[in-house]
Amino acid sequence: MALILETPRLALREFGLGDYDDLCLMLRDAETMYAYEHAFSEAEARAWLQKQLDRYAADGFGLWAVLRKETGALIGQCGVTMQETGEGEVPEIGYLLRKDCWHRGYATEAAAACRDYAFETLGFDRVWSIIRENNLPSQRVARRLGMVPCGRMVKHYYGIDMPHILFSVRRGEENAGRAESE
């Protein structure tokens, strides 16, 4: 599959059906999926993968497989997706990594590359991350990307109302808030 992005340690490419087992190392793990309140079932994981394939066809982008260049191992997903905020659709930078790859800077590295891709290649002037209120590690990643809180919304998922914080950054302001958050 074609390479979309490359960083010093990571390569991002589109998912394929053959990535299902590796994707399940994240989606079917309750600890990794704590922000979703449950590990995905087999049907939910298959639907998640199909949704990415559908996004590539419809939008030309979506969540991409994140690979460690050193080993070629699929360690997560990161990319740009269109998400509803209640005030319209916005381009969101989303990221999720296997738990054995947390706290190594991979999420920030991949998400920064996706932010830049959204600005430079896709032509967006502003990008968002929609993060559950209790997901402090993801909020720290957003702040490292120069994002600042700009609103709130509640997602109703899996029978639960889940408060989320909207973070965003405009093109050209990526480095404005970074020094304060590091």
Side-chain angles (χ1 to χ4, degrees), residues 13 15 19 22-23 25-26 65-68 71-77 98 101:
R13 64 160 171 79
F15 279 108
D19 292 316
D22 287 332
L23 187 60
L25 294 175
M26 295 172 291
V66 176
L67 310 170
R68 280 190 63 209
T71 63
L74 193 152
I75 64 165
Q77 59 184 3
R98 288 187 341 217
C101 295

Side-chain angles (χ1 to χ4, degrees), residues 44-65:
E44 288 171 313
R46 288 197 186 283
W48 182 274
L49 178 55
Q50 187 59 53
K51 187 173 190 174
Q52 303 324 309
L53 302 179
D54 293 345
R55 283 177 167 149
Y56 305 152
D59 299 329
F61 54 89
L63 292 174
W64 298 305

